[in-house]
Amino acid sequence: MKKSQNYMKSGLVVLLLCGGLFAGCAGEDSKETMAPEAGLGKAEQESAEADRQGQQGEDKSEKELEKLRFVDSWGEWHSMTVNPNVERHPYDWSCLTNIEDEIKYEGDERYSIRKGIDVSEHQGIIDWEKVSSDGYEFAMLRIGYRGYGTAGSLHVDAVFHENITGAKAAGLDVGVYFFSQAVNEEETLEEAALVLENLKGYELELPVVFDPERIRNDTARTDDVPGEQFTKNTVLFCEKMKEAGYQPMIYSNLVWEAFEYDMEQLADYPIWYADYEAAPQTPYRFTFWQYSEKGRVDGIGGAVDLNVQFCEKQ
């Protein structure tokens, strides 16, 4: 995706901070010695003490929650609490080699990877036969977008139909994504309708992706849209794709997973995760990983986004 201005594009490396590191800030001095309440009988005192013990247990659990520090693609560090109710990814990063976009995942008996790209009109005319010969097996194509200015007008990607025809003719598996700037459910439905209209007559091997984004270093119509609304929009779009017979998917990064999305509400949908560090920083599940925005691929002029799909071995 061509999003050089986007806060959404968060390349991300991990530094795990266990709860014990933070618990030390309180120390022993923070513990209070509770005396039985005056005027209470023994049963009431025991009940009150049980309540206190339960509260202390909750406080301890809060301290023991896993903390995570990560860096985005702009070099800014963030700290998050890992949600224990969200499914973790199963991958083993000791099997990953990622040197100058030459990526390999070897030695995991459960998973392998295959390589792909994502493109839009910004890549111009693409020689898809050369892309295929260069070892790429799938492509995520931008089908359309909403402008991030005040008008927020809808557009079909100028070369979407050429791209989907060329990619499929070259034998690549194809999915599509829509760059959203919807501020409410009504606009989300408009975006879904544009996607479904332009998919008529095509078969997809890969998902239809909802790609909601904030715009960095510029004013955008979504600047004041809270994460709760983005989550609602995302669920609505995904459900519309399911109703139409497509597999929905969500484009994300760790900034969004930590501070915008309600990840528990998105548990039913696969994730396309963007992170330009040597290995993904997210603890959460994902299926596709966008690992570079500066790739070079035969048949494409200029830089292109590179991706891998994690596939279960049969």
Side-chain angles (χ1 to χ4, degrees):
M1 302 174 193
K2 185 71 172 180
K3 309 179 192 118
S4 60
Q5 293 180 326
N6 265 312
Y7 190 56
M8 182 67 182
K9 283 251 184 172
S10 298
L12 307 163
V13 170
V14 103
L15 174 58
L16 290 176
L17 299 177
C18 294
L21 294 177
F22 290 89
C25 295
E28 293 297 322
D29 291 342
S30 66
K31 297 180 181 178
E32 294 182 9
T33 302
M34 299 291 186
E37 285 82 351
L40 291 181
K42 181 178 180 181
E44 289 86 350
Q45 291 179 15
E46 290 176 350
S47 177
E49 179 63 21
D51 290 341
R52 280 195 296 271
Q53 292 293 335
Q55 182 62 51
Q56 289 173 353
E58 292 175 5
D59 292 343
K60 182 178 179 181
S61 297
E62 180 72 19
K63 292 177 183 179
E64 291 178 347
L65 287 174
E66 183 180 356
K67 304 293 182 178
L68 180 71
R69 273 177 55 81
F70 64 94
V71 62
D72 65 27
S73 61
W74 299 87
E76 294 182 1
W77 285 88
H78 309 270
S79 180
M80 65 178 283
T81 299
V82 178
N83 188 334
N85 300 319
V86 177
E87 182 182 355
R88 304 296 188 95
H89 73 73
Y91 312 124
D92 180 356
W93 299 138
S94 69
C95 299
L96 177 69
T97 303
N98 182 9
I99 302 174
E100 296 181 353
D101 295 337
E102 289 297 323
I103 194 163
K104 296 180 181 180
Y105 187 79
E106 299 173 325
D108 189 334
E109 296 181 352
R110 304 161 302 157
Y111 292 91
S112 61
I113 61 171
R114 61 178 192 153
K115 296 166 62 176
I117 59 175
D118 65 88
V119 298
S120 70
E121 62 191 54
H122 296 288
Q123 275 70 46
I125 302 302
I126 295 174
D127 187 329
W128 286 101
E129 292 293 340
K130 289 184 177 180
V131 172
S132 178
S133 297
D134 205 16
Y136 292 89
E137 300 179 69
F138 69 89
M140 304 300 293
L141 312 176
R142 187 174 74 167
I143 190 170
Y145 62 97
R146 185 187 289 275
Y148 63 82
T150 304
S153 54
L154 292 174
H155 304 270
V156 177
D157 188 276
V159 295
F160 166 69
H161 293 284
E162 289 84 350
N163 276 340
I164 193 169
T165 300
K168 292 178 74 66
L172 278 76
D173 288 344
V174 171
V176 303
Y177 70 92
F178 185 87
F179 175 85
S180 175
Q181 282 287 288
V183 298
N184 52 39
E185 290 94 329
E186 180 180 359
E187 291 189 351
T188 301
L189 291 174
E190 294 173 353
E191 295 175 354
L194 180 146
V195 170
L196 295 176
E197 178 64 27
N198 284 275
L199 282 178
K200 289 181 178 178
Y202 298 119
E203 294 285 338
L204 295 180
E205 295 76 30
L206 300 177
V208 178
V209 183
F210 190 59
D211 174 20
E213 308 216 12
R214 296 198 187 278
I215 307 300
R216 185 151 181 166
N217 297 333
D218 203 350
T219 301
R221 63 199 313 274
T222 54
D223 285 346
D224 297 323
V225 177
E228 180 182 3
Q229 185 63 56
F230 274 119
T231 300
K232 289 180 180 179
N233 295 348
T234 301
V235 171
L236 178 59
F237 183 94
C238 288
E239 287 303 303
K240 287 299 177 182
M241 294 306 111
K242 283 177 65 176
E243 290 174 9
Y246 297 103
Q247 169 65 65
M249 187 164 67
I250 302 162
Y251 182 77
S252 185
N253 63 47
L254 200 45
V255 170
W256 275 66
E257 292 180 357
F259 308 122
E260 298 289 349
Y261 281 140
D262 181 341
M263 294 297 289
E264 292 187 50
Q265 291 191 43
L266 305 181
D268 291 340
Y269 314 114
I271 299 292
W272 177 12
Y273 175 72
D275 189 335
Y276 307 142
E277 296 299 322
Q281 297 175 100
T282 182
Y284 301 138
R285 60 179 179 80
F286 62 95
T287 305
F288 291 77
W289 172 30
Q290 185 186 75
Y291 65 93
S292 176
E293 60 180 349
K294 299 177 181 178
R296 297 289 173 174
V297 175
D298 195 19
I300 300 177
V304 63
D305 295 341
L306 302 179
N307 300 266
V308 292
Q309 179 186 12
F310 288 86
C311 305
E312 287 192 54
K313 291 182 178 180
Q314 301 300 317

